[in-house]
């Protein structure tokens, strides 16, 4: 995660590297199919057209401990590479070995620790062949994402060494024109071992058990670029939107024209944005580079009236523009560039309390985010990433924070398209903050590290600046950079025309130029009760909390059985203080003790694995819901408002027992449903601190004519209190209104009781329903003994009465339709058919296949609903038809006090 005051934490330093895998440059990256050599290895056919970019289709890899041949031999065409492993175009060493079946599933049990780390203490060769038919054009190797460093060879000659090709984020362009010949060519990378404490790459900190290879490899595409004498580089658009009118926008287009020939040349740079065209001549001396700029003053057509404005998904639409630029020499196209961009305005000033307050296109926005994790082995899977971004929107989140592990271009393309905001930045607790992170891991910087860090910033700024989804860059995490480092970062950002706010740190730190971060990193990271979030102190709902949650998240039983052995499953529920390999390498987070103590103290000691998981889902639902509801309620406060919250974390890169709203396999448990409930567009909620019932409107338009009803029940279903407030109205954009406040005591109420909140619109239609399980005995926090990762609880709320709830019978009828888009939609009506008074608490529906396995991913309209006798709810689930694997869909119905049944859904 990011942070944790160093004196309190000792990390088993996790492995490094990014989730940056690389980019398919829309329209300009050639997806040429690979041919195959006689030895069966892929050979990439490189396109000849000027401006083409062809990604190497893959590699043969091998440990240098098993290769005695010289670099010249290894990098020469025809080298046999016998016994080498095939690897994809973006692959860590371990990722390739896993794909080849060398090791058992690393996500199961302790298989990961059985992989010998010593195999990755030496460099590994990455070798690839490509063919070029026409050598009259210039040829370049264009790449980044090398972890940690590499010597590069082409056709037996060295093109770069490890001192030049260092750092996961640095971008490199090697002119290999003189080395390339017609026919087959070979490029070989000698990849150096990685250590995130010593290299400016990436580490896993305390997120998960680190990969034994520390992610050494090449995790972005290596492109072979072709072009004529004049190259076109650094093409981008600087946008200026008229705010608040949003009626017009000014575009400034920039590009570097570089003469790679030995002769002077006059070139013509031309571009189009939709129907807008522009052109300019530029004179270049031999080997000269000039920036060509098209301003609205000189080119009035770049002043757009009625500009199509890009919005986050929760606020509007996501129109994108296409920029195409070409450069011609002597009338012949020499190079081309393509860029997608959006027009939007982002501001993030400090409010009167010193907190960072974001606005998009002039409208303030409460940042509701999750911390992103790539796959542990940095295996890029576009569909898997897209599924998770869709989940983020389904949860009502608007932002993803990337602390290091900055993903490839496709990630940000998807974020642009779906309207998910992104907060990328450097990570804590390793080399990146080695100069100023106290006793955290991470070597101090040597002189050679400063240019690597600056080049990393320059490369990421150039890559991310045109993505409208990217709304800031965090140049620090737990710590702000020192003066020298900050200047390097800011110089690189300025040179790249970075236009969105630069944040000094994710913690409450300041840097010499950027000033105060406006953020806090107060935790918690381990269990706290739901009422914790309502206090305006520590991690409670005030200011901008860059990473926080109540820590552990126990997945569904389906997922647990996929990730833990039978013996580990027994330990999970029987031994509350046992070390859990699937939690964290950190000694602070190696057990579930705090969580398990609270689970037993509040709900009663678990009696079986099923009972443990059942109680965990209930606990996670109430806690995650409270976290987001408290920040939502306090966002419109006049004093110390909440301005942002990043749930730590959105997901995990492996099979985990903590820090996730959704698990590795995309199943949805209590944490997921609690977050979705809290962030629904128009929402009725209960305040743990003041007992007020509050309406929060996350839509832009105001709402009026609303009616809120609150009913309190004993756990046997006996009604003890009922009040209604009508003619309610609430403004838009996160505004709130208090409907009513519950009394401090209600006669006859049991120690554990239920609160049902229902919000109806002017027509009487139910628009929000929220059910709480509460206690007359509150959780008591020991604020005075708060540690960096949690606040102790000295007394627990008594929710044990839920265990005595009578069984509720829930029936279900369902049908499924299959669309032409490859998706199926199942509609189910669930009904509490009981004849008594007992509600069915948190009725959960899972789409399963014929073998009973969940169909994932899935998008539910609603789920985990609570129904009183006679009540029903109609829910829809949408999923890929192919994920049924040919079986008919079925529905598994379960709940807190509902026996599990399965019904046909055809």
């Amino acid at each position: 995660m990011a942070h944790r005051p160093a004196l309190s934490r000792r990390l088993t330093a996790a492995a490094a590297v990014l989730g940056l895998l690389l980019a398919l440059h829309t329209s300009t990256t050639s997806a040429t199919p690979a041919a195959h050599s006689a030895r069966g290895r892929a050979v990439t056919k490189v396109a000849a057209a000027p401006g083409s970019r062809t990604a190497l289709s893959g590699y043969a890899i091998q440990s240098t401990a098993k290769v005695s041949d010289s670099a010249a031999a290894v990098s020469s065409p025809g080298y046999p590479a016998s016994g080498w492993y095939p690897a994809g175009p973006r692959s860590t060493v371990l990722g390739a070995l896993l794909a080849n079946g060398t090791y058992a599933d690393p996500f199961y049990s302790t298989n990961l620790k059985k992989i010998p780390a010593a195999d990755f203490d030496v460099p590994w060769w990455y070798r690839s062949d490509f063919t070029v038919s026409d050598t009259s054009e210039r040829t370049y190797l264009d790449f980044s994402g090398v972890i940690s460093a590499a010597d590069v060879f082409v056709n037996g000659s060295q093109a770069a060494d490890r001192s030049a090709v260092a750092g996961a984020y640095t971008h490199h362009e090697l002119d290999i024109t003189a080395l390339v010949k017609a026919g087959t060519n070979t490029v070989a990378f000698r990849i150096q071992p990685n250590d995130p404490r010593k290299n400016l790459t990436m580490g896993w900190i305390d997120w998960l058990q680190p990969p034994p290879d520390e992610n050494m490899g090449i995790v972005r595409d290596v492109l072979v670029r072709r072009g004529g004498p004049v190259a076109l580089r650094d093409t981008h658009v600087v946008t200026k939107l008229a705010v608040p009118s949003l009626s017009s926008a000014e575009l400034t287009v920039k590009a570097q024209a570089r003469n790679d020939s030995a002769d002077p040349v006059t070139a013509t740079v031309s571009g189009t944005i939709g129907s807008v065209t522009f052109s300019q001549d530029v004179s270049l001396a031999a080997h000269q580079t000039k920036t060509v700029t098209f301003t609205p003053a000189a080119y009035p057509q770049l002043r757009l009236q009625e500009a199509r404005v890009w919005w986050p998904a929760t606020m509007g639409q996501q129109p994108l523009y296409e920029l195409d630029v070409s450069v011609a020499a002597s009338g012949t196209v020499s190079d081309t560039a393509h860029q997608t961009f959006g027009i939007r305005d982002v501001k993030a000033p400090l409010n009167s309390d010193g907190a960072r307050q974001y606005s998009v296109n002039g409208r303030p926005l409460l940042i509701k985010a999750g911390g992103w994790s790539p796959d542990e082995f940095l295996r890029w899977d576009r569909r898997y990433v897209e599924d998770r971004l869709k989940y983020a929107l389904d949860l009502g989140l608007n932002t993803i924070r990337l602390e290091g592990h900055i993903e490839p271009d496709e990630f940000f393309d998807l974020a642009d398209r779906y309207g998910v905001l992104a907060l990328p930045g450097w990570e804590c607790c390793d080399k990146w903050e080695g100069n100023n992170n106290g006793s955290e891991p991470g070597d101090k910087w040597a002189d050679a590290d400063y240019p690597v860090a600056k080049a990393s910033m320059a490369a990421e700024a150039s890559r991310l600046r045109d993505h409208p989804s990217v709304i800031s860059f965090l140049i620090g995490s737990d710590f702000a950079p020192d003066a020298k480092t900050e200047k390097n970062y800011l110089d690189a950002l300025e040179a790249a025309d970075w236009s969105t706010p630069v944040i000094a740190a994710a913690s409450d730190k300041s840097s010499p130029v950027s000033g105060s971060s406006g953020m806090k990193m107060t935790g918690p990271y381990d269990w706290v009760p739901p009422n914790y979030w309502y206090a305006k102190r520590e991690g409670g709902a005030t200011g901008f909390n860059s990473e926080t949650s109540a820590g552990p998240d126990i997945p569904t039983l389906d997922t647990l059985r996929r990730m833990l052995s039978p013996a580990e499953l027994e330990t999970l529920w029987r031994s509350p203080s046992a070390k859990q390999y699937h939690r964290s390498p950190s000694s602070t987070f190696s057990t579930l003790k705090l969580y398990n103590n609270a689970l037993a103290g509040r709900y009663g000691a678990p009696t079986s694995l099923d009972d443990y998981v059942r109680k965990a889902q209930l606990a996670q639902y109430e806690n995650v819901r409270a976290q987001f509801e408290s920040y939502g309620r306090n966002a419109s406060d006049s004093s110390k408002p909440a301005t942002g919250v990043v749930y730590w974390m959105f997901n995990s890169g492996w099979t985990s027992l903590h820090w996730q709203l959704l698990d590795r396999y995309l199943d949805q448990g209590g944490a997921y449903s609690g977050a979705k409930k809290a962030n629904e567009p128009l929402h009725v909620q209960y305040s743990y601190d003041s007992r007020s019932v509050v309406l929060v409107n996350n839509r832009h338009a105001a709402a009026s004519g609303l009616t809120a009803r609150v009913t309190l029940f004993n756990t046997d279903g006996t009604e003890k209190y009922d009040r209604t407030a009508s003619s309610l109205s609430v403004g838009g954009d996160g505004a709130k209104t208090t409907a009513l406040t519950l009394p401090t005591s209600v006669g006859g109420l049991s120690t554990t009781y239920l609160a049902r909140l229902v919000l109806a619109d002017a027509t009487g239609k139910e628009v929000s329903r929220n059910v709480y399980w509460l206690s007359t005995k509150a959780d008591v926090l020991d604020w005075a003994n708060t540690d960096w990762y949690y606040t102790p609880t000295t007394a627990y709320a008594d929710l044990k009465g839920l265990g005595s709830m009578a069984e509720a019978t829930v029936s279900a009828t369902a049908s499924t339709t299959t669309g032409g888009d490859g998706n199926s939609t199942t509609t189910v009506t669930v009904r509490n058919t009981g004849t008594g008074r007992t509600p069915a608490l948190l009725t959960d529906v899972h789409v399963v296949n014929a073998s009973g396995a969940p169909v994932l991913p899935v998008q539910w309209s609603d789920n985990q609903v609570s129904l009183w006798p006679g009540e029903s709810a109609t829910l829809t689930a949408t999923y890929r038809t192919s994920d049924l694997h040919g079986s008919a869909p079925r529905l598994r119905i379960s709940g807190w006090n509902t026996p599990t049944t399965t019904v046909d859904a055809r």
Side-chain angles (χ1 to χ4, degrees):
M1 76 196 165
H3 130 256
R4 341 346 98 181
L7 297 179
S8 302
R9 172 164 114 271
R10 289 295 176 270
L11 303 176
T12 305
V17 96
L18 68 161
L20 26 97
L21 312 133
L22 175 97
L24 277 159
H25 293 282
T26 307
S27 299
T28 57
T29 299
S30 172
T32 306
H36 288 80
S37 70
R39 295 176 302 282
R41 290 187 300 276
V43 178
T44 305
K45 183 179 179 181
V46 172
S52 65
R53 299 160 174 81
T54 306
L56 296 180
S57 57
Y59 304 91
I61 73 169
Q62 184 56 276
S63 169
T64 58
K66 297 182 180 180
V67 178
S68 58
D69 298 306
S70 67
V74 169
S75 62
S76 294
Y79 180 77
S82 301
W84 289 37
Y85 300 95
R90 312 173 188 180
S91 179
T92 65
V93 172
L94 186 50
L97 297 179
L98 290 170
N100 281 277
T102 306
Y103 305 111
D105 178 8
F107 290 142
Y108 179 74
S109 187
T110 57
N111 286 345
L112 184 63
K113 69 163 60 173
K114 299 173 185 176
I115 299 173
D119 289 353
F120 313 107
D121 289 341
V122 299
W124 277 66
W125 280 112
Y126 275 59
R127 186 185 186 283
S128 188
D129 291 335
F130 62 93
T131 61
V132 172
S133 59
D134 178 9
T135 58
S136 63
E137 300 290 348
R138 303 195 69 83
T139 305
Y140 311 86
L141 282 181
D142 186 314
F143 60 92
S144 61
V146 172
I147 302 172
S148 65
D151 302 303
V152 186
F153 302 85
V154 176
N155 291 344
S157 298
Q158 187 161 7
D161 65 22
R162 72 193 71 175
S163 65
V165 181
Y169 297 101
T170 53
H171 174 254
H172 309 277
E173 183 181 359
L174 307 180
D175 189 338
I176 59 171
T177 304
L179 301 177
V180 169
K181 61 183 181 180
T184 300
N185 298 267
T186 300
V187 58
F189 295 81
R190 186 163 55 202
I191 305 294
Q192 300 301 305
N194 183 45
D195 183 342
R197 294 161 296 277
K198 299 181 181 298
N199 307 121
L200 290 168
T201 52
M202 277 191 218
W204 290 98
I205 319 168
D206 46 8
W207 301 8
L208 45 72
Q209 299 292 348
D213 71 338
E214 300 276 16
N215 293 135
M216 68 183 298
I218 303 176
V219 296
R220 291 184 178 178
D221 288 343
V222 173
L223 304 176
V224 182
R225 299 182 66 161
R226 307 302 303 282
V230 180
L232 201 58
R233 298 292 186 266
D234 200 40
T235 303
H236 62 285
V237 182
V238 180
T239 66
K240 184 179 180 181
L241 177 64
V243 177
S245 71
L246 311 184
S247 60
S248 63
E250 294 185 345
L251 311 181
T252 298
V253 179
K254 293 186 177 182
Q256 287 184 356
R258 186 183 71 210
N259 181 6
D260 285 337
S261 74
D263 301 310
V265 64
T266 296
T268 301
V269 178
S270 304
T272 63
I273 299 173
S275 60
V276 174
T277 63
F278 43 91
S279 183
Q280 184 177 153
D281 290 338
V282 56
S283 297
L284 297 167
H287 305 296
Q288 184 183 18
T289 300
K290 286 184 180 179
T291 297
V292 181
T293 303
F294 301 88
T295 67
Y299 298 85
Q301 62 268 41
L302 294 174
R303 242 181 228 109
L304 303 184
Q305 302 301 319
E306 299 181 358
R308 293 181 287 122
V309 179
W310 187 96
W311 292 93
T314 55
M315 302 173 77
Q317 300 301 309
Q318 297 78 48
L320 297 170
Y321 287 83
E322 305 284 331
L323 167 70
D324 285 286
V325 182
S326 65
V327 60
S330 302
T332 301
V333 172
S334 181
D335 205 355
T336 63
H338 176 87
Q339 188 69 45
T340 301
F341 67 97
I343 298 174
R344 56 91 179 93
D345 176 85
V346 177
K347 297 287 189 298
L350 302 180
N351 67 12
S352 59
D353 299 305
R356 191 71 60 177
Q357 174 66 69
Y358 278 86
S359 67
V360 178
N361 302 330
R363 282 164 52 185
L365 177 67
L366 171 66
I367 296 295
K368 294 188 287 187
W372 181 267
S373 175
D375 171 72
E376 176 169 6
F377 310 106
L378 304 185
R379 296 171 294 191
W380 174 256
D381 184 331
R382 179 186 174 91
R383 189 169 79 169
Y384 184 55
V385 169
E386 191 168 10
D387 288 337
R388 284 181 285 165
L389 290 176
K390 289 179 180 178
Y391 268 23
L393 294 178
D394 184 52
L395 288 170
L397 304 183
N398 51 39
T399 306
I400 289 295
R401 180 185 167 207
L402 299 98
E403 186 200 359
H405 299 88
I406 305 174
E407 291 278 32
D409 289 355
E410 293 99 321
F411 175 92
F412 298 98
D413 290 340
L414 289 168
D416 292 345
R417 179 151 64 91
Y418 284 108
V420 179
L421 301 174
L423 287 172
W426 307 128
E427 70 190 34
C428 82
C429 315
D430 56 21
K431 179 75 171 190
W432 282 102
E433 294 184 346
N435 278 357
N436 56 343
N437 63 0
S439 61
E440 294 282 3
D443 286 3
K444 301 296 181 186
W445 287 16
D447 288 345
D449 293 314
Y450 289 93
V452 173
K454 184 175 182 179
S456 300
M457 186 72 264
E460 289 305 291
S462 295
R463 193 171 70 92
L464 301 177
R465 63 192 165 195
D466 277 343
H467 287 284
S469 58
V470 178
I471 58 169
S472 274
F473 199 95
L474 280 69
I475 57 175
S477 181
D478 291 21
F479 298 88
D482 57 30
K484 180 178 180 180
T485 304
E486 183 189 26
K487 184 178 187 306
N488 282 340
Y489 287 157
L490 295 181
D491 286 349
L493 287 159
E494 182 180 11
D497 291 320
W498 188 264
S499 61
T500 60
V502 177
I503 311 299
S507 61
D508 184 13
K509 302 289 185 183
S510 297
S511 58
V513 178
S514 303
S516 172
S517 69
M519 294 188 175
K520 66 178 183 179
M521 193 184 281
T522 48
Y525 299 95
D526 213 325
W527 191 85
V528 292
N531 62 350
Y532 170 96
W533 302 105
Y534 290 83
K536 289 195 173 186
R537 57 179 298 175
E538 311 302 340
T542 182
F544 194 119
N545 198 339
S546 69
E547 48 185 61
T548 188
S549 75
D553 182 88
I554 305 303
T556 63
L557 194 54
D558 293 298
T559 292
L560 285 171
R561 285 174 170 151
R562 293 178 71 173
M563 62 184 270
L564 299 180
S565 69
E568 290 166 333
L569 289 171
E570 284 293 293
T571 299
L572 181 65
W573 76 271
R574 289 186 183 275
S575 305
S577 300
K579 286 189 175 182
Q580 296 291 341
Y581 183 70
H582 282 261
R583 187 164 186 208
S584 172
S586 164
S587 60
T588 302
F589 304 116
S590 61
T591 76
L592 293 166
K593 183 177 180 180
L594 291 175
Y595 176 87
N596 287 338
N597 287 347
L599 202 66
R602 299 173 89 242
Y603 289 97
T607 58
S608 66
L609 176 63
D610 282 2
D611 187 52
Y612 177 80
V613 175
R614 182 176 72 122
K615 288 172 176 172
Q617 301 314 312
L618 209 64
Q620 287 153 197
Y621 186 108
E622 64 163 343
N623 215 316
V624 174
R625 175 178 60 181
Q627 178 176 336
F628 281 108
E629 284 184 338
S630 63
Y631 273 82
R633 187 199 70 174
N634 290 0
S636 54
D637 285 358
S638 58
S639 175
K640 299 181 69 175
T643 62
V645 60
V646 182
Y647 187 90
W648 205 251
M649 297 175 66
F650 175 69
N651 69 299
S652 177
W654 84 322
T655 42
S656 180
L657 295 172
H658 78 164
W659 297 340
Q660 55 189 359
L661 290 173
L662 50 128
D663 66 40
R664 166 68 193 178
Y665 303 112
L666 304 183
D667 206 354
Q668 301 171 8
Y672 188 98
S673 296
K676 181 171 179 173
K677 174 57 63 177
N679 295 321
E680 62 186 354
L682 182 59
H683 181 59
V684 60
Q685 64 186 61
Y686 170 77
S687 303
Y688 281 82
D689 58 342
S690 62
R691 302 178 311 283
S692 60
V693 174
V694 176
L695 314 184
V696 176
N697 184 10
N698 294 306
R699 304 178 303 187
H700 181 50
S704 60
L706 303 173
T707 300
R709 181 182 181 186
V710 183
T711 313
L712 303 184
F713 301 87
N714 286 344
T715 52
D716 64 359
T718 305
E719 181 180 312
K720 291 297 178 181
Y721 178 89
D722 186 58
R723 291 291 184 276
T724 298
S726 57
S727 301
L728 300 171
S729 61
V730 58
D733 293 332
K736 70 171 180 288
T737 191
T738 299
L740 51 87
T741 299
L742 299 182
T744 55
S745 64
V746 173
L749 204 62
S750 55
T751 302
T752 305
Y753 63 97
L754 302 174
R756 183 182 66 194
L757 283 58
V758 177
L759 182 67
D761 65 14
T763 68
K765 178 184 177 182
E766 183 177 301
V767 293
S768 177
R769 166 182 286 236
N770 209 349
V771 174
Y772 294 80
W773 39 105
L774 303 169
S775 176
T776 57
K777 179 184 176 184
D779 294 292
V780 179
L781 288 149
D782 182 8
W783 293 105
N785 286 303
T786 296
D787 206 339
W788 66 269
Y789 63 99
Y790 86 119
T791 295
T793 303
T794 57
Y796 295 119
D798 185 353
L799 300 173
K800 298 181 182 67
L802 295 176
S804 62
M805 288 180 68
E807 186 176 283
T809 304
V810 174
S811 67
T813 56
S815 62
T816 298
T817 59
T818 300
D821 58 356
N823 291 327
S824 291
T825 299
T826 295
T827 302
V828 55
T829 298
V830 288
R831 181 183 300 275
N832 184 337
T833 56
T835 56
R837 294 172 300 192
T838 305
L841 186 62
L842 284 196
T843 300
D844 177 87
V845 187
H846 263 65
V847 181
V848 297
N849 61 20
S851 63
V855 176
L856 300 169
V858 61
Q859 294 269 342
W860 281 99
S861 59
D862 196 5
N863 208 341
Q864 300 203 349
V865 294
S866 296
L867 303 170
W868 269 252
E871 289 185 334
S872 65
T874 298
L875 318 173
T876 60
T878 303
Y879 49 91
R880 285 187 287 267
T881 307
S882 60
D883 288 336
L884 286 165
H885 302 294
S887 70
R890 296 176 64 78
L891 295 177
R892 185 176 66 206
I893 316 297
S894 61
W896 172 256
N897 58 326
T898 303
T900 301
T901 58
T902 304
V903 300
D904 185 82
R906 283 176 288 188

